[in-house]
């Protein structure tokens, strides 16, 4: 594995690979790698000749009251895990490389528009503008054929997919399944902040999605009923949980569904345990032979 | 010259050139080519091994009351001029190619932010959002090394330059001098709409900029004085002119200058003759040995 922090070195290497007809997969991360990230590398590895991983804790996707400073970092460990998992290039730029002159001098942004109006976009104003802007910059630096994002950040993955289409990026965005702990908790770098009691209660996120899946499997379609059921389940079984949102949204427009679910849907929620905010989601697609959950 | 309308064919050819170490220059146009466009091709030709020109009248940069429908088009003539001027690939996509599913289904945009708050951005709400979004798409399709824009559309050229920097595009944006008629009128596809009387009066745009240049050369620095002088000159010498704006702005932030010009400046104006809107500008840079005008 080669570690680069300069954009020119990254571009030169990738361009050389491309001219040798090697395909390039890309995994963008904020580091503090866990098995979820490594599953993205594995997928990228299996579908491309080369894999580039970036590690960059992007300041522009954190609000002023959020956890940018306390976001967990361990570059030494990340390096080891990236190398073991088969990453060819680890791109770990500085803030100055990503935002020359500083993020506050940035004038032109990518705007996710109404896709960011609800769910995490409503709870974290400016978050997705920061995400799609930095992902655009990374795409321009890495110029991958395919890019892999985890479903755990569901709204993010869907917005980035749409961005690639709407801005005609020559990048195929692929969403990989959420990796979970044995009890169902979605892996997240932020799980490290949970106390033992919070960790035990945090299983309510995946359990409430499981309830929705079961309810839909037996015919429930009313978005409001599903949301109410999930909220009640969380409140009753996790006394220290504070619900940020529980939303059933259209999978394409990401607008909340009012009434029955008739097309594809994203069932998403965010729950605070103390100051730690966890998210999870379930995607529901209507196929000819019934619903497919992922 | 080869004409392509499919993105895949364009990408394949450009990628092959790149792997043969050939550099690619790009000239984005809305067609109805004139000597201004051809000067961009000539410059691109002299600085690159290959030149790609696009012709696309972009609907998303026209307001609902603007001249999208009446914008002049002559693809036959454009083809001939492009070929004669040494264009290697003419990319003339359909609206469906640029906006699959239609422009109204576009959700993610590039946002020029405060750079579009004044001058043409204020007169034409949404105009620059449409411009930078379509230029992003074209950059992703063509993947040029260098892209050339004319100074006549000064705010546009500066916003695109800034977009390339802020979004880390691997594209070097270059601004080429405005090409003018013998009497000073900046070439524009829209000049064809002027009546003979309007055409004669339209020289006030470049003349008023020339006055500013002379006034600054003898020491005038007050932005408000310069604007007032230009407005008075236009009103007095062109009875059919209707001023849209006359602005002295900071060349970097594109915000109007209040008081003295101390750094680099963009002196820009837009004037209606009937329903035809013409623009022109003067860039002023402060060098060690004095002012440089362009």
């Amino acid at each position: 594995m080669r570690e680069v922090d300069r954009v020119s070195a990254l571009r030169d290497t990738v361009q050389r690979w491309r001219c040798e007809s090697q395909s390039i997969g890309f995994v963008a991360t904020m580091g503090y790698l866990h098995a979820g990230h490594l599953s993205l590398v594995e997928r990228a590895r299996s579908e491309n000749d080369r894999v580039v991983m970036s590690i960059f804790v992007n300041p522009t996707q954190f609000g002023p009251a959020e956890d940018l400073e306390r976001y967990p970092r361990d570059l030494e460990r990340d390096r080891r895990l990236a190398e073991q998992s088969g990453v060819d290039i680890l791109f770990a730029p500085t803030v100055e490389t990503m935002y020359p002159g500083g993020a506050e001098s940035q004038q032109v942004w990518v705007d996710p528009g109404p896709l960011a109006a609800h769910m995490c976009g409503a709870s974290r104003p400016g978050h997705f503008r920061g995400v799609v802007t930095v992902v655009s910059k990374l795409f321009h630096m890495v110029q991958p054929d395919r890019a892999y994002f985890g479903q755990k950040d569901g709204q993010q993955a869907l917005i980035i997919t749409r961005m690639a289409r709407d801005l005609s990026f020559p990048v195929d965005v692929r969403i990989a399944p959420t990796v979970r702990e044995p009890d169902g908790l979605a892996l997240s770098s932020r799980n490290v902040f949970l106390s033992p009691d919070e960790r035990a209660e945090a299983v309510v996120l995946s359990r409430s999605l499981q309830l929705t899946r079961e309810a839909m499997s037996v015919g429930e379609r009313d978005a409001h009923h599903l949301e109410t059921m999930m909220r009640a389940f969380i409140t009753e079984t996790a006394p220290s949980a504070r619900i940020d949102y529980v939303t059933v949204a259209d999978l394409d427009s990401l607008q909340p569904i009012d009434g029955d679910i008739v097309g594809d849907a994203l069932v998403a929620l965010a729950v605070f345990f103390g100051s730690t905010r966890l998210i999870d989601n379930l995607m529901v697609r209507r196929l000819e032979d019934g619903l497919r959950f992922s």
Side-chain angles (χ1 to χ4, degrees), chain A residues 190-203:
Chain A
R190 288 187 174 96
N191 290 352
V192 69
F193 295 131
L194 298 170
S195 72
D197 284 354
E198 291 168 342
R199 169 62 190 84
E201 289 188 15
V203 74

Side-chain angles (χ1 to χ4, degrees), chain A residues 16-87:
Chain A
R16 185 166 49 74
W17 287 340
R18 174 157 295 118
C19 292
E20 293 164 356
S21 296
Q22 300 196 60
S23 58
I24 293 104
F26 175 49
V27 179
T29 81
M30 299 212 299
Y32 214 72
L33 302 179
H34 52 62
H37 300 109
L38 302 182
S39 78
L40 299 177
V41 174
E42 190 177 358
R43 170 98 181 264
R45 184 85 267 164
S46 73
E47 297 177 353
N48 301 273
D49 300 306
R50 298 288 186 170
V51 176
V52 177
M53 172 187 277
S54 66
I55 294 182
F56 181 63
V57 182
N58 173 36
T60 71
Q61 70 191 66
F62 288 82
E66 289 183 1
D67 59 353
L68 172 61
E69 291 312 318
R70 119 180 154 128
Y71 196 86
R73 292 161 168 92
D74 188 345
L75 190 54
E76 265 313 312
R77 185 169 157 277
D78 288 345
R79 248 183 219 122
R80 209 165 53 241
L81 289 169
E83 172 136 40
Q84 285 165 5
S85 65
V87 167

Side-chain angles (χ1 to χ4, degrees), chain A residues 49 129 230 257:
Chain A
D49 300 306
R129 187 183 79 154
M230 293 172 75
I257 293 173

Side-chain angles (χ1 to χ4, degrees), chain A residues 65-167:
Chain A
E66 289 183 1
D67 59 353
L68 172 61
E69 291 312 318
R70 119 180 154 128
Y71 196 86
R73 292 161 168 92
D74 188 345
L75 190 54
E76 265 313 312
R77 185 169 157 277
D78 288 345
R79 248 183 219 122
R80 209 165 53 241
L81 289 169
E83 172 136 40
Q84 285 165 5
S85 65
V87 167
D88 293 289
I89 287 187
L90 180 64
F91 177 53
T94 62
V95 172
E96 177 61 24
T97 294
M98 293 304 294
Y99 296 98
E104 55 291 345
S105 77
Q106 179 93 9
Q107 298 257 353
V108 180
W109 298 82
V110 181
D111 176 10
L115 300 174
H118 302 283
M119 298 178 282
C120 289
S123 306
R124 306 181 67 186
H127 170 66
F128 286 118
R129 187 183 79 154
V131 168
V132 290
T133 298
V134 83
V135 171
S136 288
K137 290 162 82 82
L138 289 167
F139 281 4
H140 291 151
M141 293 171 174
V142 177
Q143 298 187 262
D145 298 291
R146 296 175 196 90
Y148 299 83
F149 293 88
Q151 188 189 319
K152 198 267 283 170
D153 300 287
Q155 189 177 12
Q156 166 178 286
L158 293 165
I159 289 178
I160 291 170
T161 303
R162 184 61 177 251
M163 174 190 83
R165 187 186 110 181
D166 281 1
L167 299 184

Side-chain angles (χ1 to χ4, degrees), chain A residues 168-245:
Chain A
S168 307
F169 271 97
V171 180
D172 181 3
V173 175
R174 301 192 172 181
I175 303 178
T178 302
V179 177
R180 300 179 179 282
E181 300 281 4
D183 69 351
L185 177 68
L187 295 195
S188 164
S189 302
R190 288 187 174 96
N191 290 352
V192 69
F193 295 131
L194 298 170
S195 72
D197 284 354
E198 291 168 342
R199 169 62 190 84
E201 289 188 15
V203 74
V204 292
L205 281 94
S206 58
R207 290 256 170 91
S208 62
L209 292 169
Q210 185 58 32
L211 277 184
T212 286
R213 184 175 170 152
E214 286 159 12
M216 290 193 74
S217 297
V218 296
E220 177 65 78
R221 291 292 178 274
D222 187 291
H224 184 66
H225 287 176
L226 292 167
E227 289 171 12
T228 304
M229 179 192 69
M230 293 172 75
R231 285 177 180 278
F233 173 77
I234 294 165
T235 307
E236 281 162 25
T237 58
S240 58
R242 183 165 57 84
I243 294 173
D244 179 15
Y245 69 81

